[in-house]
Amino acid sequence: MLNKLKKLDWGILGILLLFMVISSVVLHSATINDPRYASSDTKQIIFYGLGFFVAIVASMFDYRIVLKSWHVLYGIGVTSLILVYFVGAKINGARGWFKITETLTIQPAEIVKIIIIIGIAYLMGRRQGDKLTFMRDLVPIGAFAALPFMLVMIQPDLGNAIIYLVIVLGMLWIGNVKYTHVLVGLGTVIASIVLFVSLFTMFNSEIKEFMIDKDLSHWYERINTYINPEEASADAKHQSLNAKIAIGSGGLSGDGYLKGDMKNGGFVPYPYSDSIFVVIGEEFGFQGAAILLLLYFLLIYRMIIVAFKCYDMKASFIVIGIVSMYVFQVFQNIGMMIGLMPITGITLPFISYGGTSLLLNMLSVGLVLSIKSHQEVYELAD
């Protein structure tokens, strides 16, 4: 056990420690005027404590045991997504949480992210680096990811569903997919986006009525604000517009800790969760945002180094899947706050408040640490 502890990537753990400090400090500012979330910073530190424990314990286990159990994990994940649709709690328009207590909830869609990564890594790893074929590889992988994708979409949770797609695409790209398949897939995606935008614009009123009838008006407003910003209502543009104003007002060095006028005035919704980057941009300015992005870069960099040094190709695929998940979540969260991406409710990894997502992220890091610690064992066993 001591030998495994020595092999841990303490640089990664050090970055996570810095994330904990940043998260708790920013959460204190984000919730100081909201009694409903007054203790979020303290709870986040507790979640981080549990998260570090989970990460270190996970690093002690041989990741290959998890890989061999991918089908069991997949069954558990799909079952939980089905159950939550019928008995789960509805939060922000989506029925995707198991409510344990008034303050404790579990979101299966978050857990399924890592299950998808493990399953696809196993399926792609069987090829041992050979080109992925359409029928033997791409079709099974697509079917594997399609079921949880559809189950999450009907909750509806667009944010996590998109993350599933990004994970699959990121892993397939590294998994040596044929260029012809890439071109066909890219053409299909572009054509689908163009068709969707065209139909959404053409049948805007009909889609609006349908979405309102299905109690999905908030999704219509988010999509319409991004596609047709000039036609969107003031309420629909409220979060995006105020977020850009707040970040812009922060300038180079920010307005100062606890002094964000937009945040303090209640003009930024969900400052503890989706919009936590706005708090950083307003109170710490470009410098604070740049430091945060630098930490993300260092975390991703160290993980990619782990992937490059793997003897086991399946392990490399796991790390790349986790990296794809983090990169997209950071890009999407910050992008939607500065107007580059539509608002989807995706939180900022390791910074936003949330027990399930934080513990999952820490578990994912623990899996990366396990992969790094067990590569020498794998080489000897080979």
Side-chain angles (χ1 to χ4, degrees), residues 92-162:
N92 295 331
R95 192 177 298 279
W97 285 262
F98 289 121
K99 195 169 185 179
I100 310 302
T101 66
E102 285 299 318
T103 57
L104 179 61
T105 58
I106 297 175
Q107 188 178 12
E110 291 280 351
I111 301 171
V112 172
K113 292 176 189 175
I114 192 65
I115 294 176
I116 289 177
I117 291 171
I118 292 169
I120 294 177
Y122 182 87
L123 293 173
M124 291 200 309
R126 297 179 303 178
R127 300 293 293 172
Q128 292 298 312
D130 293 337
K131 290 283 186 182
L132 300 177
T133 62
F134 183 76
M135 291 303 299
R136 290 180 57 187
D137 301 303
L138 298 185
V139 171
I141 290 172
F144 174 86
L147 181 55
F149 172 82
M150 291 186 293
L151 289 173
V152 170
M153 278 295 292
I154 64 174
Q155 290 182 1
D157 184 353
L158 180 61
N160 277 316
I162 293 175

Side-chain angles (χ1 to χ4, degrees), residues 1-14:
M1 182 175 178
L2 288 176
N3 190 38
K4 289 183 178 180
L5 286 173
K6 292 178 181 178
K7 294 178 182 177
L8 290 179
D9 192 320
W10 292 99
I12 288 179
L13 292 174

Side-chain angles (χ1 to χ4, degrees), residues 111-282:
I111 301 171
V112 172
K113 292 176 189 175
I114 192 65
I115 294 176
I116 289 177
I117 291 171
I118 292 169
I120 294 177
Y122 182 87
L123 293 173
M124 291 200 309
R126 297 179 303 178
R127 300 293 293 172
Q128 292 298 312
D130 293 337
K131 290 283 186 182
L132 300 177
T133 62
F134 183 76
M135 291 303 299
R136 290 180 57 187
D137 301 303
L138 298 185
V139 171
I141 290 172
F144 174 86
L147 181 55
F149 172 82
M150 291 186 293
L151 289 173
V152 170
M153 278 295 292
I154 64 174
Q155 290 182 1
D157 184 353
L158 180 61
N160 277 316
I162 293 175
I163 293 174
Y164 293 173
L165 287 179
V166 171
I167 288 172
V168 174
L169 293 175
M171 296 181 72
L172 286 177
W173 179 257
I174 300 299
N176 204 11
V177 66
K178 293 180 180 179
Y179 288 115
T180 52
H181 294 156
V182 173
L183 292 174
V184 171
L186 186 61
T188 302
V189 170
I190 294 174
S192 299
I193 292 174
V194 172
L195 180 62
F196 174 79
V197 173
S198 300
L199 293 176
F200 187 88
T201 303
M202 189 180 303
F203 300 101
N204 193 286
S205 57
E206 290 85 351
I207 293 173
K208 181 178 181 179
E209 291 179 9
F210 175 80
M211 299 289 272
I212 291 175
D213 183 61
K214 297 297 182 180
D215 195 26
L216 298 173
S217 58
H218 61 293
W219 283 119
Y220 168 81
E221 295 290 355
R222 289 180 173 183
I223 297 172
N224 192 56
T225 300
Y226 186 71
I227 295 177
N228 304 307
E230 66 284 348
E231 298 178 8
S233 65
D235 288 341
K237 294 186 288 186
H238 172 79
Q239 183 174 5
S240 178
L241 180 61
N242 288 349
K244 287 186 282 187
I245 292 173
I247 293 173
S249 69
L252 180 63
S253 56
D255 297 337
Y257 186 52
L258 305 178
K259 296 179 180 179
D261 291 335
M262 295 292 290
K263 181 264 299 179
N264 290 334
F267 297 107
V268 180
Y270 309 112
Y272 57 90
S273 181
D274 302 0
S275 304
I276 198 165
F277 181 77
V278 178
V279 181
I280 296 172
E282 184 178 23

Side-chain angles (χ1 to χ4, degrees), residues 14-26 41 44-46 48-49 52 350-351:
I15 293 170
L16 295 181
L17 188 62
L18 291 175
F19 278 143
M20 181 184 73
V21 174
I22 294 171
S23 179
S24 58
V25 168
V26 177
D41 52 341
Q44 189 80 337
I45 292 175
I46 295 173
Y48 254 109
F52 276 110
F350 302 106
I351 304 299

Side-chain angles (χ1 to χ4, degrees), residues 25-38:
V25 168
V26 177
L27 277 173
H28 177 72
S29 177
T31 59
I32 194 169
N33 295 320
D34 191 342
R36 295 173 301 171
Y37 301 98

